[in-house]
Amino acid sequence: IVALFVSVVAFISISKFCDGESFVESVNSSIMEWKRNIGLVIFGAVVFFLFFVIWNIAMFIINFIDTALSGVLGPLLYYIIVPIVTIILIAIFAVKLSFVLPAFAKGDNLREAIRKSWELTNDSFWNALIFIVILLIITFIIAQIFLFLALAIVALDLVFLIIGEIISTTFLALGISYYYYLR
């Protein structure tokens, strides 16, 4: 929960910076809005909980179908259908809720931020999905470069890991924020 709170404050700060506030103003206002940010952390926890509830319901239905067909689907079900369902659920949650943070940073209440994020992706779901996948791939590559540096220079491994995390997550936050503000 504490790490999620710090991440929310950092993301809100980056998003406000992308919206035109100075760096100091964006960090200061993000910290001063700690009550709003706690609400966003609670929302994040609820979203993770709902994702796992929906995923478990989907897995229950898949298992029920497999049992009703006397296990005929077997490996097809568990090696193809389950990963496809999981990827689809992750894609829907990721795309529909990725832009809540920039909308929230703009000053909207949580309900309005969710609505704006949902509306933004209604017309451009596939574009947003492709954009988020590209961002995640680049973020992963940046993190892997710094992991490689940490393994190569063992004396500074923790420093390289921290720098890699900071750069990769900042890149992700900048990408999502600019996508939201430039649309």
Side-chain angles (χ1 to χ4, degrees):
I1 297 293
V2 172
L4 187 57
F5 178 76
V6 171
S7 298
V8 164
V9 169
F11 197 112
I12 297 289
S13 298
I14 292 168
S15 191
K16 286 182 178 211
F17 178 75
C18 292
D19 196 28
E21 284 188 26
S22 73
F23 179 74
V24 174
E25 287 175 342
S26 61
V27 171
N28 188 39
S29 65
S30 296
I31 292 171
M32 297 305 287
E33 296 172 346
W34 63 272
K35 289 179 186 176
R36 288 183 70 216
N37 294 338
I38 288 175
L40 198 56
V41 168
I42 293 168
F43 169 73
V46 169
V47 166
F48 283 121
F49 177 75
L50 285 176
F51 172 80
F52 286 111
V53 166
I54 292 170
W55 185 80
N56 279 314
I57 291 170
M59 294 306 109
F60 176 78
I61 292 169
I62 290 170
N63 285 328
F64 181 77
I65 291 170
D66 186 43
T67 303
L69 296 174
S70 300
V72 171
L73 297 177
L76 169 74
L77 183 70
Y78 295 104
Y79 294 120
I80 295 175
I81 295 174
V82 168
I84 288 173
V85 168
T86 303
I87 290 169
I88 289 171
L89 284 174
I90 290 171
I92 290 170
F93 271 78
V95 171
K96 288 297 187 180
L97 298 175
S98 285
F99 304 104
V100 169
L101 286 168
F104 189 76
K106 197 143 174 101
D108 295 328
N109 64 31
L110 187 56
R111 180 176 293 180
E112 188 67 18
I114 295 167
R115 186 187 65 75
K116 285 184 177 180
S117 177
W118 198 271
E119 285 178 356
L120 175 74
T121 58
N122 278 345
D123 297 331
S124 61
F125 179 85
W126 295 109
N127 292 338
L129 177 63
I130 291 169
F131 180 76
I132 290 170
V133 167
I134 291 170
L135 271 179
L136 290 174
I137 290 170
I138 293 170
T139 301
F140 177 76
I141 290 170
I142 292 170
Q144 292 306 304
I145 289 169
F146 281 93
L147 176 62
F148 174 75
L149 289 172
L151 293 173
I153 306 171
V154 178
L156 298 173
D157 61 343
L158 185 59
V159 172
F160 281 117
L161 290 175
I162 291 170
I163 291 171
E165 285 296 317
I166 290 170
I167 291 173
S168 62
T169 53
T170 301
F171 178 79
L172 181 68
L174 285 169
I176 288 175
S177 296
Y178 277 123
Y179 185 89
Y180 178 81
Y181 292 129
L182 296 176
R183 294 287 279 144

